């Protein structure tokens, strides 16, 4: 295998960081292609915990080049902080090992302010991470945004930022009733941050193109999950990028045929941070128990993650929407020993029973059909799985039409079983 995409198959936080780190060991390149520092990807090595937001999760491997493709919205301030943080954990990040596209769109202070105002003043609260992601993608698609290369020339930077601010100043003053921070100050700060970022900037499109020609091994690291995709997700409660595998082709710059397989990272149950419908959400003590055992707190915002049973109609949809060829089932240890175990195998919706959450279905109106499963009590000390756990996997595989290729049963690197080989 030459290339593999890591895609979250639910609403994010499925354990993409851990799996990317492990498979990144075998790769020449790990590439982020969408999203921004709304992502929080956790890697545990020994007693060290590293949370990556913008930097790809291949960064812990010296031989691996980490690439941030042009589809990422890039917050220079967040990058500075993350760089310092990760380096203070003893990871050496050099411009040889980290390449950032000069065409990444920039998240400005104004994008963050807009995000915050919309969340606090409405009319619709999405429950965003507050990092300015949506407004930055808006600037990009409305062709008013800044690219990272613009930070290197003070005159261009100022000219573009002033043009970008004409409409925002009206919004700040007349809709949200707030002061606009000074443009001069923002120019100054972004120009300074540009100096820090400059050595890392590269033409990542040509790099990846060459890597493909030279048969290098490439891992594409998705952020968020299919159900947060701007087109495929549970709109409007989504993020603003193409989180499915489709985002790779535009966000990394790659011929479509090159992504050989898509590995859907799937939590053994379901979590969601922020607003939006969640058919299998548990509002009982058991939900809290899973939340506690699974330590379900957002890696970016620290918010409590909502918890529910695994939702196979949604998963089946994600498999179709992102062309997922196999899944990594993570956090199976969290369900071990849970005495009441259920999976959602279908929905009752408008008098019918359905087994796939196709778009057009109003998820706030479905009644989940829950199947009782025999609880499992595996301690994962041996390679053998209990019959009950095997059955749990069988039910998932049967419903979604994809095999479980990886089983993860703890946050550490060693807590993993490869059923299928990748790379
Ligand atoms: P990501 O955004 O998909 O990379 O996932 P996060 O890092 O936001 O959240 C996943 C959390 O679960 C992290 O704290 C991981 O360390 C942890 N984790 C990953 N895999 C497993 C697993 O198999 N079992 C347990 N208990 N924790 C895991
Ligand atoms: P990783 O990569 C979980 C959610 C937010 C909110 C919605 C929109 O760690 O899986 P945004 O700030 O992107 O405009 O917020 O998307 N969200 C995530 N939820 N994991 C993430 O990333 C997320 N990134 C965004 O909670 O509901
Ligand atoms: Mg996360």
């Amino acid at each position: 295998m030459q290339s593999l995409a890591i895609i979250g198959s639910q609403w994010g936080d499925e354990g993409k960081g851990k799996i990317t780190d492990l498979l990144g060991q075998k790769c020449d390149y790990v590439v982020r292609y969408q999203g921004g520092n709304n992502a929080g990807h956790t890697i545990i090595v020994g007693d060290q915990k590293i949370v990556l937001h913008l930097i790809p999760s291949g960064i812990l491997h010296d031989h691996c080049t980490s690439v941030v493709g042009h589809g990422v919205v890039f917050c220079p301030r967040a990058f500075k902080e993350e760089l310092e943080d990760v380096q203070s954990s003893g990871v050496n990040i050099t411009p040889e090992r980290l390449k950032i596209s000069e065409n990444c769109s920039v998240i400005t202070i104004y994008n963050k302010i807009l995000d915050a105002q919309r969340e606090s003043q409405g009319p619709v609260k999405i429950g965003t991470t507050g990092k300015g992601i949506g407004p930055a993608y808006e600037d990009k698609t409305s062709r008013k945004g800044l690219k990272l290369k613009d930070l290197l020339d003070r005159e261009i930077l100022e000219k573009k930022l002033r043009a970008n601010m004409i409409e925002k100043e009206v919004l700040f003053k007349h809709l949200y009733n707030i002061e606009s921070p000074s443009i001069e100050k923002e120019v100054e700060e972004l120009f300074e941050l540009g100096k820090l970022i400059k050595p890392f900037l590269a033409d990542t499109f040509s790099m990846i193109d060459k890597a493909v020609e030279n048969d290098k091994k490439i891992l594409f690291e998705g952020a968020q999950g299919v159900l947060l995709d701007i087109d495929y997700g549970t709109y409007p409660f989504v993020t603003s990028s193409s989180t499915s595998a489709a985002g790779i082709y535009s966000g990394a710059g790659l011929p479509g045929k090159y992504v050989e397989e898509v590995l859907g990272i799937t939590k053994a149950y379901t979590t969601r941070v922020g607003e939006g419908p969640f058919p299998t959400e548990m509002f009982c003590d058991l939900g809290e128990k899973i939340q506690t055992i699974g330590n379900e707190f957002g890696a970016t915002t620290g918010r409590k993650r909502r918890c529910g049973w695994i939702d196979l109609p949604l998963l089946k949809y994600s498999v179709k929407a992102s062309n997922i060829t196999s899944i990594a089932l993570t956090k199976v240890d969290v369900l071990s020993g849970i005495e009441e175990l259920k999976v959602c195998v279908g929905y009752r919706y408008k008098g019918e029973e359905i087994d796939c959450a196709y778009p057009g279905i109003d998820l706030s109106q479905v009644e989940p059909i829950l199947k009782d499963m025999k609880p499992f009590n595996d301690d994962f000390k041996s390679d053998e799985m209990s019959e009950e756990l095997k059955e749990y996997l069988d039910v998932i595989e049967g419903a979604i039409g994809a095999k479980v290729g990886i089983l993860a049963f703890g946050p550490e690197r060693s807590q993993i079983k490869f059923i299928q080989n990748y790379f």
Side-chain angles (χ1 to χ4, degrees), residues 11-14 16 38-41 115 126-131 133-134 222-225 228 238-240 273-275 300 303:
W11 278 295
D13 304 326
E14 299 91 348
K16 297 177 291 292
N38 48 351
H41 297 176
D115 195 356
I126 305 292
T128 71
T129 59
K131 306 294 180 189
I133 304 294
Q224 292 81 51
L228 288 170
V238 294
T239 190
S240 298
V273 203
E275 308 295 318
T300 297
R303 290 178 293 175

Side-chain angles (χ1 to χ4, degrees), residues 11-173:
W11 278 295
D13 304 326
E14 299 91 348
K16 297 177 291 292
K18 171 180 164 142
I19 305 292
T20 305
D21 167 60
L22 275 165
L23 293 178
Q25 273 173 14
K26 301 182 178 177
C27 293
D28 302 298
Y29 294 87
V30 172
V31 184
R32 276 281 307 270
Y33 54 91
Q34 48 69 229
N37 57 314
N38 48 351
H41 297 176
T42 314
I43 304 173
I44 306 283
V45 188
D47 55 9
Q48 233 183 8
K49 172 174 162 175
I50 295 172
V51 182
L52 298 165
H53 303 284
L54 269 172
I55 297 173
S57 303
I59 200 70
L60 302 195
H61 307 299
D62 283 344
H63 69 277
C64 184
T65 304
S66 289
V67 181
V68 179
H70 56 242
V72 167
V73 283
F74 197 94
C75 176
R77 294 176 172 90
F79 174 67
K80 180 172 188 280
E81 222 171 89
E82 186 171 336
L83 190 66
E84 288 167 1
D85 253 27
V86 178
Q87 279 182 324
S88 73
S89 313
V91 182
N92 185 23
I93 302 181
T94 61
E96 285 68 45
R97 298 187 51 229
L98 175 63
K99 305 284 182 189
I100 303 170
S101 168
E102 56 198 6
N103 286 319
C104 283
S105 294
V106 176
I107 302 182
T108 66
I109 192 82
Y110 308 107
N111 296 141
K112 272 193 81 170
I113 294 172
L114 258 183
D115 195 356
Q117 291 304 315
R118 285 176 182 161
E119 285 290 291
S120 62
Q121 301 201 37
V124 181
K125 182 176 161 63
I126 305 292
T128 71
T129 59
K131 306 294 180 189
I133 304 294
Y137 274 116
E138 280 169 42
D139 278 357
K140 173 182 173 177
T141 46
S142 68
R143 297 158 294 181
K144 292 189 201 76
L146 271 72
K147 299 283 178 184
L148 276 178
K149 63 185 174 199
D150 297 331
L151 306 191
L152 308 183
D153 183 316
R154 190 194 284 261
E155 256 176 54
I156 292 177
L157 169 59
E158 180 154 1
K159 193 169 150 213
K160 290 198 175 178
L161 204 56
R162 285 197 185 281
N164 178 281
M165 278 302 291
I166 292 172
E167 288 171 352
K168 289 194 183 67
E169 274 173 338
V170 180
L171 284 181
F172 287 172
K173 192 165 173 191

Side-chain angles (χ1 to χ4, degrees), residues 338-413:
I338 297 277
E339 279 160 17
E340 186 193 342
L341 190 60
K342 295 181 195 292
V343 298
C344 171
V345 291
Y347 299 146
R348 282 189 197 90
Y349 182 64
K350 294 190 175 171
E352 272 183 64
E353 287 193 4
I354 50 176
D355 67 359
C356 184
Y358 287 112
I361 290 164
D362 180 353
L363 284 183
S364 66
Q365 299 300 316
V366 303
E367 184 198 332
I369 302 169
L370 296 175
K371 176 183 164 75
D372 285 310
M373 300 294 299
K374 285 191 202 125
F376 52 85
N377 218 334
D378 296 54
D379 62 8
F380 306 100
K381 287 190 177 139
S382 82
D383 242 11
E384 270 304 293
M385 277 186 256
S386 66
E387 288 308 312
E388 292 81 9
L389 178 54
K390 278 187 202 155
E391 197 181 327
Y392 195 74
L393 268 53
D394 281 350
V395 168
I396 295 173
E397 290 177 338
I400 67 173
K403 289 276 179 199
V404 177
I406 294 176
L407 201 68
F409 43 83
E412 290 180 22
R413 280 175 168 169

